[in-house]
Amino acid sequence: MSDHRLPDGTIPVLLSSDTEDSLRREGAAVLAYCEQHPDLGPGPVSDMLLRTRVARRHRALITVTDRADLLAALTAVAEGTSHPKLMRGTAIARRIGYVYPGQGSQRPGMGLMLYRHSAAFRAAVDECEAVFQDLYGISPLAYLLHEDGELEDDVRIVQPALFMQMIGLSAMWRAVGVHPAATVGHSQGEIAAAVVSGLIPLADGVRVVTIRAQLVGTVSQEAGIAGAYSMAVLGVDRDQCEALLARNSGWAELSVVNSAHILAISGERPMITETVDNLTALGVFAKEIKVAYPAHTSIVSKFREILCGSMVGQLDSPAFAETSVPSFGGALGKSITTDLPIGDYWYWNLRNRVRFDLAIAAAAEYGVDTLLEIADHPTLMLAVQENLTTLAPKRDYLVTGTSRRTATDLAEFTRSIAQIAVNNTDFDWDGLLVDGPRTTSLPLFDFPNTQTNDKHLWAPHDYTGKTAQLPAEPEPVAVPRITEQWVHLPRRSLVRPRALAVVDVAGTHGELVEALRAGAPRHGATIVDHEHGTSSAGTVYDTIAVLLPTVADEVDAAVTALAEFLGARSWLPETSGVEDIWLVTTGGEQVVDGDLPGLFPAAAQAGFRCLAAEYPGIAFRHLDLPADAGEQAAKLVLGAVHTAGEPELAVRESNWYGKRLVADESVVTGLTDAELGEVVIVGGTGKLGLDFCAEFARAGAGRVTLISRSGGSPDAQARIAEIAAGGTKVRVLTGDVTDPDAVRALAAELGEIDLLVHAAVDYAASAEPTPDSIRAAAAPKIVALDHLVTLLPRSPQGRVLLCSSLSATVGGRGHAVYSAVNRMLDAAAARYRADGIAASSVQWGLWRAVGADQADALAAISGTGLQPMDPAGAVAAGITTVAENVIVVAADWPRITEVFTAFGLGALFADLKVPETVIEVAPEPVAVAAPVTETPAPAAEADTAERVRFALREVMGLDATEPIDGAVPLVALGLDSLQALDLRKRVENELRLELPVTAIMGGASLDEVVGLLRT
């Protein structure tokens, strides 16, 4: 037995790892274990893997019921081959959209198999049936479950039955934990989409679909048009379609735009059938669909008053409701909003040309990248795929169906679930838990450990005494520039009502705490006393809100408050059973123009974020309120804690914002000789300071003054002499910049400074957070900064550059103090700019020097995806004529995104598109050259034509000996739209070539497809 089951009764056995290679090793290890234990079946293996391991990026999901299939599928994982019971994928954070088709795919008995096999489907359609019976006395379920004989399609029953079917299918997906972030509706499918999104209640959905269907049926019969009209879907573009309509004397209109090359026309049936026959003869896809009235044409406008007037008065809700799951409809090609008149909208839904292409584009812009067609047989997948390919061909979209018309059980639905599970990092495996009593099994003894990947952190020591050879000084390379941006969130996805523990850190937010207690019931939430709200089962709250006190914006006050906050942590209660911990600050972020971030809240949230590494499974999230939140503060806090997916939220002028990292593609200009006349580098004899000095000397600086406490080590002195040999004046001044008197003494020796670089580092920042270590880390950074800016002389064009760290934005294990202090620098730079000082704070990534004598620091960030930067490229990207805060980092961005997504920061990277051409990094020192092993060239691949021919036979189910005429259009061979999509996927996966589906459906033959691939 197993605690987890898929809908078809199979057991999910999940293998996952960080790389393809280690995934194969994972499969081999589990296979070997199973072979050593001949009585072991898939149930205990599934439980062991799902209970003890976190699902990682590269995934292989085996769906089996017996040991033989388990061993065969494990062998396929280990060997990197395929197996019918195996689904592979590379998971990323995804936003799921349900897609609801219109009329045309109906058939009597279309819900029978689902009703027999799915309890979720059965319960949902039974509920719908009861509402239909209560309101109208009709039974769409009879059509849905029809078994024997023919049944005439009556639109007054067909459309309610399709609506009921889609509600049932939606319930099946939700029952396994796959919930929509948005819905997309096509024609009649918009009604079910609106119900599932929460725009209208179920009863109103029943009313809308029934009134719409009855009016259409009645009007059609009374006007004598029943059966006189039809529709057809065509595989042509818009110009071709209009040319067809222009050359025929019958009447028809373009009624549906599914995608650029998949359209539908509606009109007089003789013209429709003639058009279908003509295109079919040419080998172009064309198919009549069962809609016996001229939907989505100008004729519908004659019945406006009937449609609008009859509907509104019968609805429970006279307006669309607010919802966190937007619904994008084909009637307008965009989301349905509360300001739209509900009666008019359902009239537009029947009259307007369906712009499904625009609805898909709007959903994609919203962030939806996984689209599930909610139908027992997919009809829109091809159009969805074409739209997405046109919108963003490089984006990783996933399009799948629910089942197939030929399915006899839930195996097809299970395969669709498996496809989502292996491609979505947010897949909820608990959605597969069996109902009722579960097994209580002991862990499998001596089960193999997770396979890991070797990672060399630094060059090995040369025990032979030979000197390691360093590479020559690299040429300057480009390093990407990234900025923090706050993006407006017009809609937010919400979570279930929370049980919230509120922690008032300094006891200064009594009114807010009481307001939260009073407002929680309106959100369905409860406020729990965290000091006494416990039971024998642990805490009874799932969310914690930490209210940060307000502190004066002075350096000493901010440092003292930070030392107390991060150094004690007495504010953090018991975390057992907690899912989210929110830090609530006021005025800690620069969200809109005019914001000045406070030093303490800015630093506190940066240090707070780092705690996520110490509490796996808990999301540490942040809400920044405006200074004038006042009585609205409680409402905003409750809104935030019920928001899904956003790690960083802010509110300004009643608008919600989420933080994103965005690539800065603007052209930047470096400082000129004149702007580098007098350069002062604080912390100048450290490795970072000396790298800066070398780059400024190369750029033509007049004089560089290096300030340090000690004057530099012998190695530093030698490098200074080397730099000065190039002609730049370099001098060293000693002094403690944390002492204002010492800074005044330095000022007396300096001329007017053109560029002041604050690169002082104190590695107390990497120590355990205590009040003393925090003050020690802040002293050379933020305390000294105030002295440097206010006491040292600057020229009129003088600039200030502060050296911050990427940790200030993303945090890191053991980086709480380091992140907090650097975030203070970022906030200080923004405040200096407001005072007219040209100050920039650059969050640097990993410098090449780190690791040589700071092995612990490198080890702490190993595996995150950060890569050492070349000094020349980093300086060119970070030190420019524009005073701003910027991030300059070289990184493996997919890796760094994956790592920090595990800490709940996935949304921060959602909009980050760094051009691959600029991710160049400095070569690392290598002590011993590894021998080069040449990989033998692969054997010559089979001819492209034969491989495509083989794939075509596979998707069409043809016998291997059956000949295929290469000159006949593929659609004329019987290839349907679903098979075309399958063929496209196979060609792209096996040949690594793109195959436009429009070519297949537009009449291309096998020979033409092969020619297209070869070019």
Side-chain angles (χ1 to χ4, degrees):
M1 293 295 293
S2 170
D3 283 348
H4 295 79
R5 288 275 176 169
L6 287 154
D8 67 344
T10 55
I11 298 169
V13 179
L14 175 68
L15 303 170
S16 68
S17 194
D18 294 325
T19 66
E20 282 292 338
D21 177 67
S22 55
L23 179 62
R24 293 175 64 170
R25 288 189 278 112
E26 189 91 358
V30 175
L31 174 63
Y33 182 84
C34 291
E35 291 174 339
Q36 294 164 9
H37 299 77
D39 296 330
L40 188 63
V45 177
S46 169
D47 285 346
M48 191 69 186
L49 291 168
L50 288 172
R51 285 162 50 191
T52 64
R53 300 188 183 178
V54 174
R56 290 176 286 169
R57 186 172 179 229
H58 294 272
R59 300 180 179 182
L61 181 61
I62 297 168
T63 56
V64 291
T65 55
D66 59 58
R67 174 179 168 84
D69 281 342
L70 173 64
L71 296 181
L74 286 170
T75 301
V77 175
E79 295 176 352
T81 57
S82 60
H83 187 274
K85 302 291 185 179
L86 171 64
M87 181 72 71
R88 285 190 178 84
T90 303
I92 60 173
R94 290 188 174 275
R95 302 189 80 176
I96 292 171
Y98 287 2
V99 178
Y100 295 86
Q103 187 176 343
S105 63
Q106 73 275 359
R107 70 185 194 287
M110 60 186 173
L112 183 60
M113 181 275 292
L114 301 168
Y115 193 85
R116 287 173 174 171
H117 289 88
S118 170
F121 180 87
R122 187 163 54 250
V125 299
D126 282 348
E127 181 186 6
C128 286
E129 173 76 358
V131 178
F132 276 110
Q133 291 275 14
D134 180 55
L135 294 176
Y136 297 103
I138 62 174
S139 177
L141 190 61
Y143 184 94
L144 218 61
L145 305 184
H146 185 77
E147 285 193 72
D148 301 317
E150 295 293 324
L151 189 66
E152 182 180 352
D153 275 0
D154 184 339
V155 68
R156 288 168 289 193
I157 291 296
V158 165
Q159 290 192 359
L162 280 169
F163 169 84
M164 181 184 286
Q165 174 96 333
M166 288 185 273
I167 295 297
L169 292 169
S170 303
M172 289 171 59
W173 277 109
R174 285 172 151 173
V176 294
V178 180
H179 298 276
T183 64
V184 182
H186 182 293
S187 188
Q188 184 211 311
E190 283 199 62
I191 306 170
V195 171
V196 172
S197 278
L199 286 162
I200 59 175
L202 176 62
D204 278 359
V206 167
R207 291 184 176 97
V208 171
V209 74
T210 305
I211 294 169
R212 183 183 191 272
Q214 290 179 346
L215 285 172
V216 166
T218 302
V219 169
S220 295
Q221 288 185 347
E222 291 178 354
I225 62 174
Y229 294 88
S230 187
M231 295 184 71
V233 59
L234 314 176
V236 298
D237 62 27
R238 195 157 180 171
D239 287 343
Q240 292 171 311
C241 180
E242 290 179 350
L244 288 169
L245 296 177
R247 292 171 182 269
N248 195 306
S249 298
W251 174 81
E253 294 179 12
L254 173 61
S255 56
V256 178
V257 180
N258 284 332
S259 63
H261 295 83
I262 303 176
L263 311 175
I265 58 174
S266 180
E268 296 169 341
R269 192 166 189 272
M271 179 180 178
I272 298 297
T273 55
E274 181 183 342
T275 302
V276 170
D277 291 343
N278 290 339
L279 289 175
T280 301
L282 296 172
V284 177
F285 176 78
K287 181 181 179 182
E288 185 180 7
I289 56 178
K290 298 177 182 179
V291 179
Y293 59 94
H296 310 296
T297 68
S298 57
I299 287 184
V300 177
S301 62
K302 299 178 182 178
F303 313 116
R304 178 187 172 217
E305 291 303 323
I306 301 175
L307 286 167
C308 294
S310 300
M311 187 173 295
V312 176
Q314 300 184 44
L315 301 180
D316 287 340
S317 300
F320 291 114
E322 288 279 1
T323 178
S324 61
V325 180
S327 186
F328 300 93
L332 299 179
K334 57 183 182 180
S335 64
I336 303 175
T337 53
T338 56
D339 60 313
L340 295 173
I342 197 165
D344 289 86
Y345 188 84
W346 295 122
Y347 162 66
W348 300 336
N349 168 264
L350 184 61
R351 180 204 64 184
N352 289 5
R353 178 177 296 152
V354 178
R355 292 307 304 266
F356 183 67
D357 58 333
L358 297 182
I360 289 293
E365 184 178 359
Y366 180 70
V368 171
D369 56 9
T370 301
L371 293 113
L372 315 180
E373 185 167 351
I374 308 299
D376 71 311
H377 188 81
T379 59
L380 293 173
M381 285 173 58
L382 201 63
V384 171
Q385 190 73 53
E386 184 182 2
N387 285 316
L388 297 178
T389 302
T390 303
L391 289 168
K394 300 302 181 183
R395 191 168 165 189
D396 187 9
Y397 288 109
L398 177 62
V399 181
T400 189
T402 301
S403 186
R404 295 200 184 205
R405 185 180 293 115
T406 55
T408 57
D409 54 28
L410 298 181
E412 285 292 338
F413 178 49
T414 294
R415 282 189 61 81
S416 297
I417 295 169
Q419 189 176 12
I420 299 298
V422 297
N423 285 285
N424 183 15
T425 55
D426 297 327
F427 182 77
D428 182 8
W429 296 95
D430 287 347
L432 303 182
L433 285 169
V434 296
D435 293 329
R438 300 190 186 119
T439 59
T440 305
S441 56
L442 295 174
L444 297 177
F445 178 72
D446 209 22
F447 195 76
N449 294 323
T450 299
Q451 298 296 303
T452 58
N453 300 296
D454 294 334
K455 182 178 289 291
H456 297 287
L457 302 184
W458 48 82
H461 178 69
D462 184 2
Y463 292 99
T464 65
K466 296 178 181 178
T467 303
Q469 297 297 315
L470 296 177
E473 186 72 17
E475 291 295 321
V477 296
V479 180
R481 290 166 48 88
I482 295 164
T483 59
E484 289 183 15
Q485 290 186 10
W486 287 91
V487 298
H488 180 229
L489 302 176
R491 295 184 180 275
R492 293 169 293 128
S493 297
L494 303 182
V495 297
R496 68 181 187 280
R498 293 304 202 185
L500 179 66
V502 181
V503 180
D504 185 0
V505 174
T508 58
H509 291 293
E511 291 184 7
L512 176 55
V513 174
E514 289 306 313
L516 288 170
R517 195 178 304 278
R522 289 194 290 274
H523 291 260
T526 55
I527 303 295
V528 179
D529 182 350
H530 63 85
E531 295 183 357
H532 306 99
T534 59
S535 65
S536 59
T539 58
V540 292
Y541 49 85
D542 52 37
T543 305
I544 299 171
V546 179
L547 309 181
L548 199 70
T550 302
V551 173
D553 263 321
E554 299 172 353
V555 171
D556 290 342
V559 171
T560 298
L562 182 67
E564 293 174 356
F565 178 69
L566 288 183
R569 288 201 219 171
S570 57
W571 46 267
L572 187 59
E574 168 63 38
T575 59
S576 175
V578 172
E579 299 174 17
D580 295 322
I581 303 178
W582 285 86
L583 180 68
V584 181
T585 63
T586 300
E589 296 284 352
Q590 192 168 20
V591 181
V592 297
D593 292 342
D595 277 354
L596 288 181
L599 297 177
F600 171 54
Q605 60 89 9
F608 170 83
R609 188 183 302 110
C610 297
L611 302 184
E614 302 176 28
Y615 296 87
I618 300 177
F620 281 70
R621 305 168 71 184
H622 172 221
L623 167 67
D624 191 58
L625 297 174
D628 59 354
E631 295 179 355
Q632 293 296 310
K635 177 182 177 181
L636 298 177
V637 171
L638 289 168
V641 300
H642 288 91
T643 299
E646 293 291 342
E648 294 278 352
L649 281 174
V651 181
R652 297 293 187 270
E653 296 181 353
S654 300
N655 292 316
W656 290 89
Y657 294 87
K659 184 186 287 187
R660 300 289 186 267
L661 297 183
V662 179
D664 180 7
E665 299 179 0
S666 60
V667 178
V668 297
T669 305
L671 301 183
T672 64
D673 295 359
E675 293 164 319
L676 293 172
E678 187 78 31
V679 178
V680 173
I681 305 174
V682 180
T685 59
K687 290 189 174 181
L688 179 55
L690 291 174
D691 274 345
F692 280 136
C693 181
E695 293 308 316
F696 295 146
R698 184 179 293 134
R703 181 171 68 175
V704 181
T705 301
L706 309 178
I707 297 176
S708 75
R709 291 181 179 180
S710 64
S713 66
D715 287 343
Q717 293 290 346
R719 191 173 182 201
I720 291 169
E722 179 184 339
I723 295 170
T728 300
K729 297 176 184 178
V730 182
R731 63 172 175 171
V732 179
L733 298 179
T734 58
D736 182 359
V737 292
T738 64
D739 179 359
D741 291 334
V743 176
R744 290 187 183 94
L746 289 168
E749 299 188 49
L750 295 169
E752 288 190 335
I753 301 170
D754 295 311
L755 176 63
L756 171 63
V757 180
H758 185 26
V761 177
D762 192 321
Y763 284 98
S766 61
E768 189 69 22
T770 66
D772 289 341
S773 70
I774 293 168
R775 291 187 183 93
K781 281 277 195 177
I782 192 69
V783 175
L785 173 62
D786 202 39
H787 303 155
L788 296 171
V789 174
T790 58
L791 299 178
L792 294 184
R794 290 189 310 278
S795 65
Q797 74 275 15
R799 298 177 177 277
V800 178
L801 175 75
L802 311 182
C803 292
S804 180
S805 166
L806 177 64
S807 293
T809 290
V810 301
R813 186 184 300 275
H815 283 200
V817 181
Y818 185 66
S819 299
V821 172
N822 279 292
R823 191 66 180 183
M824 272 193 176
L825 292 182
D826 300 337
R831 300 181 74 84
Y832 286 138
R833 288 197 296 272
D835 290 337
I837 300 172
S840 298
S841 184
V842 179
Q843 292 185 13
W844 303 107
L846 180 62
W847 288 95
R848 186 177 54 186
V850 175
D853 59 0
Q854 291 295 333
D856 291 341
L858 183 60
I861 59 176
S862 172
T864 63
L866 288 177
Q867 298 171 337
M869 301 179 297
D870 168 61
V875 169
I879 304 179
T880 70
T881 57
V882 180
E884 61 183 346
N885 289 9
V886 69
I887 300 170
V888 176
V889 178
D892 174 358
W893 286 107
R895 174 61 180 160
I896 203 171
T897 301
E898 179 183 353
V899 168
F900 285 99
T901 295
F903 294 136
L905 295 180
L908 192 65
F909 301 90
D911 297 336
L912 184 57
K913 303 292 185 293
V914 177
E916 296 181 4
T917 54
V918 301
I919 308 180
E920 300 183 34
V921 299
E924 297 184 72
V926 178
V928 181
V932 177
T933 303
E934 293 189 2
T935 303
E941 295 184 352
D943 179 72
T944 301
E946 285 307 310
R947 299 185 71 178
V948 176
R949 196 181 300 271
F950 176 80
L952 184 61
R953 285 196 177 97
E954 287 283 299
V955 300
M956 294 187 67
L958 303 177
D959 186 84
T961 61
E962 187 172 343
I964 297 176
D965 189 340
V968 176
L970 296 180
V971 293
L973 295 174
L975 187 78
D976 63 25
S977 59
L978 198 60
Q979 292 169 337
L981 194 62
D982 194 2
L983 177 63
R984 178 180 184 268
K985 288 181 181 177
R986 289 173 183 263
V987 169
E988 290 185 349
N989 290 337
E990 296 175 15
L991 297 179
R992 296 293 188 266
L993 296 172
E994 291 189 5
L995 177 59
V997 292
T998 53
I1000 304 174
M1001 304 308 291
S1005 65
L1006 178 65
D1007 292 343
E1008 289 168 335
V1009 166
V1010 171
L1012 181 65
L1013 291 174
R1014 284 174 172 164
T1015 58

